[in-house]
Amino acid sequence: MLLSFIGHPEIFPVFFTTKTQEIFNCRADEDVTEENCFKLIKKEDIIQDLKTRATISDFHPVKKVVLEYPGEELLVVFDAKFQYGQNFYFVASEEAKENLLKPPETAEEKEEEKEEEREETLEVHPYKPPVHKPWVSLGSEKEVEEESVKSTVAKIKYMISRVRRKFGAPITFTDMNASHVRDGYVECTSYQDKTFSIKKLEKDVGIQIVPKVREASTQTKWTYQKNAATQYFPRQLSNEEESLSSEKLKEFITSVHLRMEIALQQNEIMNAFFDDWKALAEDESSCGCKPDVCLKAYQAFTDLRYLKERIISCICWHPTIYGIIAVSAREQLSYEEQVNLSDKSLLQQSVILFWSFFDPIHPQLMLECPDDIYCFQFSPSDPNIIAGGCINGQVVLWDISQHEKKLQNAKPVADGIKPSLMQVQQSSTEPPLVRYCAISSIQYSHKKPVTDIHWLPNYFEGNQLGATFENRAGICVQLVTCSPDCLILFWDIPATKLPEQPSSEKVKEQEIFHMPPAVPDTSKHLDVCWKPLIKINLRESDANTEYGPVRISLRELRYHYKTSEKVQSLTTLEAPAKESPYTEMSTSSSKKLKGLENISTEFFVGTEDGEIVYSVWKMEIDNDSAKPVSQKHTQKYSIHAEMINTLQRSPFFKEIVLSIGGRDFAIWKEGVTNGPILQSSCSAGRYTVGQWSLTRPGVFFIGRDDGNIDIWDLLKKTHEPSHFQNISESMITFISPWIASPKQNFLAVSDDLGVLHVLEICQTLSHSSRNEHADVLDYFEREVKYLKHCEQEFQ
């Protein structure tokens, strides 16, 4: 089927060979050119060519169009620029042929001809330039000025947010008695608002030019001169005063001789111009760096495979092996996205990486995770046992006892000796991947991410009612976790060697418990079916109030603040072939254990709404259902405007708690119900994380979203940080201090770019003064007294 050119149905492009051009006398650039491109060919000649050359003829593709052409001559046009795709094209209609041969006059040409005719008929008038006339105001500009709307109030941008669960909640108004207000009188006095004051557009003002006048004064009071005393006669010495050999003079010189000799000797051996006042302050240059650089870069770690475009969520130093640090990472999602996408599918494998100071390029060990890990902790009694909390709400356990030697071999034989060639070759290979040995049941786990996890101390354990009993095994066997799903869960890690069971029970157990492949058998009875021991619900049933805990602080959780003495004692132990203590422990009933009454069951909780809640984990027996229920929460404080990201007790004072959220921080003392004993002002940047110093009682570090770290020293300043230092270009996500030795302290800092910075703390911030502990304690006591005094004044 023959198709004409799109948009021009009367035009048919054809390709003329050299033979065809010679037959019809239309040779390119000779018979026809770009300027003279038209050629008329008789229809009979074309038909004769079709009969003679048949299919070889160039007109054969358009044979039907040629035979149906009504005219006697066809117009062939030379297409020099290949506008229609071939070197020639012919026109298949008479009207189009006439338009091409004799194009009609355009509208512009006709308009030009008409204008020429008009110019011939019209008379020619001389040109007169316009005359400038003064503008006469008729009041229009005043009307425009009066009708125009001008904004005189500076615009203020507000951002109002509300918790999603409170959308559509009913609003209740309450009455207030006059007795509740001081003096029993409530008054709303009128005041003048400058924002709505009327401004005068015109005002008559008289101006008069006067010379400049300047007033000057001094602090010296001028008085006229006068003689204070007049002496008329010269003063003459008596004979006794002139005599140098008097007895009084000899006695005086003899009495002061020894003192003058000592004074002259001291001037020779001591600098008389030494400033003792400046010497009272500590030498800031003793840290070996500039005064404004208190954290010196020591090492940096990153991994392009597992940490690329991910946020480091948690950092933990190995309790016993020098230079080993573990980190976990999660995807770069906001907190709301983490809650909403907690059940998402993993696009990248989640692991916990172990790094060593002696090989900053290759990880030493990797722990496989079922989902992104938000937090994890080493067991204080056995560092080979690690517990972690996932974003999907599950709790995971790992056992790295089989890889302990590898982590220890990463350390050189002595300080200053480089690792051997064999060690470097081993580190260059892929690190071993350790699978988890136990994971909690999804049905009984948290419904939202596990945001905080802690091991309970090894000297007590709790039962289902929250009562505390002695721990005879001497190892940590319980965990506590919290999540924004309003739950705080206590997990019990029972014995891994279960008592003998009948054969029928063993068969049922094998059917119930499913073990993933290649998972160690150390805690196989915990896998998939691990349930919490205690469940504390922070939802108030009567008031329909929910608290989403993201941080928890128990009074007894102070094990990971021990000094390096315990670390050094643990490193001296040599037990390479010893099994984990969890495999030797047997379950015991809490009825046979001795109850402990002096263990505090109170705890602080930081919520996602910025609230601090103080409660107890001990359960109560409901009178109606006879079931254990959590007690009502005694105290609640709304101090922070954003989510609490840090809630940590002081390593030196177990009653002092640091809370950080939004743009401020607060220091609390357990037992003081009036509020925080110290609250900071609003900072320029958002605080993201904080940690107490492990060596100085009054020092703590706070990370910000602009990559800076604020160092607060309460003995120097309480209204602003004593030092601040830039660490990264992005937000600080986690901070973890570590005491390597009495003379070496480190601070691990991570950012949301997946980079781990290890910084060495200068001696000024790591070595405490002689009375610093007592001075900081005295400062806290003064703040408590001041808070109580203020409360009494306003009552």
Side-chain angles (χ1 to χ4, degrees):
M1 182 178 178
L2 181 64
L3 296 176
S4 61
F5 194 80
I6 299 175
H8 300 279
E10 69 279 3
I11 294 176
F12 293 84
V14 292
F15 180 80
F16 285 179
T17 60
T18 306
K19 183 66 176 177
T20 303
Q21 295 179 13
E22 292 176 357
I23 293 173
F24 295 98
N25 295 325
C26 58
R27 292 173 292 181
D29 298 329
E30 293 183 10
D31 298 331
V32 289
T33 59
E34 187 176 359
E35 292 79 15
N36 187 14
C37 58
F38 301 105
K39 180 67 177 180
L40 293 173
I41 301 176
K42 293 182 179 181
K43 180 179 179 180
E44 298 177 356
D45 297 339
I46 297 175
I47 296 174
Q48 185 64 30
D49 184 77
L50 290 171
K51 293 179 180 180
T52 304
R53 301 169 64 188
T55 57
I56 305 175
S57 176
D58 294 336
F59 288 94
H60 184 269
V62 292
K63 178 179 179 180
K64 184 178 180 180
V65 179
V66 173
L67 294 176
E68 294 177 356
Y69 186 77
E72 298 179 356
E73 292 183 341
L74 281 80
L75 178 61
V76 178
V77 184
F78 173 60
D79 193 359
K81 296 184 179 179
F82 290 83
Q83 183 178 0
Y84 296 99
Q86 301 294 345
N87 56 355
F88 286 85
Y89 66 89
F90 75 96
V91 182
S93 66
E94 289 290 327
E95 182 180 359
K97 182 176 70 173
E98 294 297 328
N99 291 336
L100 290 175
L101 294 176
K102 296 179 180 180
E105 295 181 357
T106 61
E108 296 178 358
E109 293 177 354
K110 293 181 180 179
E111 189 68 21
E112 290 178 358
E113 292 179 359
K114 291 181 180 180
E115 289 180 0
E116 291 177 359
E117 294 176 359
R118 291 176 183 175
E119 289 177 0
E120 293 176 358
T121 57
L122 295 176
E123 297 180 359
V124 179
H125 297 281
Y127 171 75
K128 294 182 180 179
V131 180
H132 297 283
K133 297 181 180 180
W135 178 75
V136 179
S137 175
L138 299 178
S140 60
E141 73 280 3
K142 295 183 180 179
E143 295 177 358
V144 173
E145 184 69 22
E146 292 175 357
E147 294 296 332
S148 63
V149 179
K150 295 182 180 180
S151 178
T152 59
V153 182
K155 295 182 178 180
I156 303 175
K157 183 178 180 181
Y158 293 95
M159 183 180 69
I160 302 174
S161 61
R162 193 178 188 184
V163 184
R164 186 175 182 84
R165 61 173 177 268
K166 294 184 180 179
F167 284 179
I171 301 175
T172 57
F173 296 93
T174 58
D175 297 334
M176 183 177 64
N177 297 329
S179 59
H180 294 169
V181 187
R182 187 178 180 181
D183 300 333
Y185 176 69
V186 180
E187 180 184 6
C188 297
T189 58
S190 60
Y191 65 95
Q192 183 179 2
D193 193 351
K194 297 182 179 179
T195 307
F196 300 96
S197 60
I198 300 176
K199 298 182 179 180
K200 295 182 179 180
L201 299 179
E202 296 181 1
K203 184 178 181 180
D204 295 335
V205 179
I207 300 176
Q208 182 180 2
I209 301 176
V210 296
K212 294 183 178 180
V213 179
R214 184 180 65 179
E215 295 182 358
S217 62
T218 60
Q219 296 180 354
T220 304
K221 185 177 179 181
W222 183 85
T223 56
Y224 62 93
Q225 298 180 358
K226 63 179 181 179
N227 295 331
T230 303
Q231 182 179 358
Y232 296 98
F233 299 99
R235 183 179 178 183
Q236 297 180 356
L237 298 176
S238 60
N239 296 332
E240 295 180 358
E241 293 175 348
E242 291 179 356
S243 176
L244 297 178
S245 59
S246 61
E247 293 297 331
K248 293 182 179 180
L249 181 60
K250 290 180 180 181
E251 293 177 359
F252 172 74
I253 295 176
T254 303
S255 61
V256 301
H257 170 73
L258 183 59
R259 286 183 291 171
M260 289 296 298
E261 185 178 358
I262 295 174
L264 292 175
Q265 291 177 357
Q266 288 179 347
N267 291 338
E268 292 293 334
I269 62 176
M270 295 179 62
N271 185 10
F273 300 98
F274 181 74
D275 193 349
D276 295 329
W277 179 257
K278 291 183 179 180
L280 293 175
E282 296 184 2
D283 187 8
E284 294 182 348
S285 61
S286 60
C287 62
C289 55
K290 296 182 180 179
D292 57 343
V293 180
C294 300
L295 304 175
K296 185 171 65 173
Y298 186 80
Q299 221 164 40
F301 303 92
T302 188
D303 190 273
L304 298 179
R305 179 179 177 183
Y306 298 103
L307 298 181
K308 185 179 180 181
E309 297 180 356
R310 294 172 71 86
I311 298 176
I312 295 179
S313 57
C314 187
I315 303 173
C316 286
W317 295 88
H318 197 285
T320 59
I321 304 177
Y322 175 84
I324 299 297
I325 184 171
V327 297
S328 62
R330 58 179 175 84
E331 291 190 4
Q332 293 185 354
L333 301 175
S334 63
Y335 183 76
E336 291 77 8
E337 293 174 341
Q338 297 172 27
V339 175
N340 298 331
L341 302 178
S342 59
D343 55 347
K344 61 178 176 56
S345 60
L346 285 177
L347 301 178
Q348 185 176 357
Q349 183 181 7
S350 297
V351 295
I352 294 178
L353 299 177
F354 282 72
W355 296 95
S356 174
F357 282 179
F358 309 103
D359 188 3
I361 300 177
H362 307 94
Q364 302 297 314
L365 191 66
M366 293 192 304
L367 305 184
E368 184 181 2
C369 309
D371 206 335
D372 287 349
I373 298 297
Y374 203 101
C375 55
F376 68 97
Q377 287 288 340
F378 287 89
S379 173
S381 56
D382 185 6
N384 293 325
I385 303 299
I386 303 172
C390 299
I391 284 186
N392 63 0
Q394 290 181 291
V395 180
V396 190
L397 284 179
W398 294 272
D399 186 1
I400 61 172
S401 56
Q402 298 179 359
H403 306 275
E404 184 179 5
K405 290 184 178 180
K406 177 177 175 57
L407 298 178
Q408 292 177 351
N409 292 337
K411 183 177 180 180
V413 180
D415 296 338
I417 299 178
K418 296 183 179 180
S420 61
L421 179 61
M422 183 179 299
Q423 292 177 353
V424 175
Q425 291 177 354
Q426 292 177 357
S427 62
S428 62
T429 60
E430 185 70 16
L433 181 64
V434 180
R435 293 205 63 184
Y436 48 89
C437 60
I439 184 172
S440 63
S441 172
I442 297 179
Q443 180 181 359
Y444 300 100
S445 300
H446 292 283
K447 306 306 178 185
K448 292 183 180 181
V450 179
T451 55
D452 205 1
I453 185 170
H454 296 283
W455 289 86
L456 292 184
N458 58 358
Y459 52 84
F460 78 91
E461 57 180 296
N463 60 359
Q464 294 182 352
L465 297 178
T468 56
F469 297 88
E470 63 175 347
N471 185 356
R472 296 177 181 177
I475 60 175
C476 299
V477 294
Q478 289 184 343
L479 290 167
V480 57
T481 60
C482 68
S483 175
D485 60 354
C486 305
L487 294 179
I488 296 176
L489 302 181
F490 287 77
W491 304 82
D492 193 4
I493 305 177
T496 57
K497 288 186 178 181
L498 297 177
E500 293 294 333
Q501 299 176 354
S503 59
S504 59
E505 295 183 1
K506 289 184 178 180
V507 174
K508 292 181 180 179
E509 183 180 358
Q510 293 177 359
E511 294 177 355
I512 296 174
F513 299 108
H514 170 70
M515 175 60 62
V519 176
D521 296 336
T522 54
S523 301
K524 63 181 181 180
H525 61 287
L526 296 181
D527 191 29
V528 180
C529 298
W530 189 13
K531 301 178 182 179
L533 178 68
I534 305 175
K535 181 179 179 181
I536 299 177
N537 197 333
L538 294 183
R539 184 183 291 108
E540 298 286 355
S541 58
D542 52 351
N544 196 17
T545 304
E546 296 181 351
Y547 302 109
V550 292
R551 293 291 183 269
I552 184 172
S553 175
L554 280 69
R555 186 173 184 179
E556 305 297 334
L557 295 182
R558 302 178 68 243
Y559 54 83
H560 43 281
Y561 300 130
K562 300 292 183 180
T563 58
S564 59
E565 296 178 358
K566 181 178 179 181
V567 175
Q568 294 175 356
S569 62
L570 290 174
T571 54
T572 57
L573 297 177
E574 297 181 0
K578 184 179 180 181
E579 297 181 354
S580 174
Y582 294 92
T583 60
E584 302 176 356
M585 185 183 62
S586 61
T587 55
S588 59
S589 175
S590 60
K591 296 180 181 179
K592 300 179 182 179
L593 298 179
K594 180 182 179 181
L596 301 178
E597 301 295 336
N598 58 345
I599 299 298
S600 174
T601 58
E602 289 83 9
F603 62 90
F604 279 96
V605 163
T607 67
E608 59 182 347
D609 297 330
E611 299 172 337
I612 301 295
V613 179
Y614 186 70
S615 183
V616 295
W617 80 62
K618 196 171 183 179
M619 311 294 286
E620 292 181 345
I621 302 299
D622 191 5
N623 297 328
D624 299 333
S625 61
K627 294 182 179 180
V629 295
S630 58
Q631 300 184 18
K632 294 183 179 180
H633 317 302
T634 55
Q635 300 165 9
K636 183 189 71 173
Y637 307 92
S638 299
I639 298 297
H640 304 282
E642 298 182 21
M643 180 187 69
I644 304 297
N645 55 63
T646 299
L647 189 66
Q648 185 190 23
R649 291 183 181 267
S650 171
F652 299 92
F653 314 102
K654 62 180 181 180
E655 296 179 350
I656 301 298
V657 181
L658 172 66
S659 65
I660 301 175
R663 299 178 180 270
D664 57 352
F665 70 87
I667 297 179
W668 310 75
K669 184 176 181 181
E670 192 170 6
V672 179
T673 60
N674 304 338
I677 60 177
L678 176 63
Q679 184 178 2
S680 69
S681 59
C682 186
S683 66
R686 289 179 59 252
Y687 291 150
T688 57
V689 69
Q691 285 285 339
W692 285 99
S693 172
L694 302 182
T695 55
R696 292 194 55 187
V699 175
F700 53 91
F701 309 93
I702 298 180
R704 304 196 312 189
D705 59 350
D706 55 1
N708 292 335
I709 287 185
D710 291 346
I711 305 173
W712 289 78
D713 189 352
L714 299 180
L715 293 182
K716 288 187 176 181
K717 300 177 182 179
T718 57
H719 64 285
E720 63 180 2
S722 58
H723 306 279
F724 72 92
Q725 188 171 336
N726 181 263
I727 304 300
S728 174
E729 297 180 357
S730 58
M731 180 180 65
I732 303 298
T733 60
F734 206 87
I735 296 177
S736 178
W738 183 52
I739 303 175
S741 65
K743 295 183 179 180
Q744 193 175 33
N745 294 267
F746 293 105
L747 186 71
V749 181
S750 62
D751 54 23
D752 60 353
L753 297 179
V755 181
L756 174 63
H757 306 268
V758 178
L759 310 171
E760 187 174 0
I761 306 175
C762 67
Q763 295 183 4
T764 305
L765 293 176
S766 59
H767 291 184
S768 60
S769 59
R770 181 179 301 176
N771 299 324
E772 183 171 353
H773 187 279
D775 293 342
V776 175
L777 180 60
D778 182 59
Y779 169 75
F780 288 148
E781 295 296 334
R782 292 199 310 268
E783 293 298 325
V784 171
K785 293 180 180 179
Y786 174 75
L787 191 63
K788 293 181 179 179
H789 175 73
C790 293
E791 184 182 15
Q792 294 176 359
E793 289 292 330
F794 288 101
Q795 286 181 352

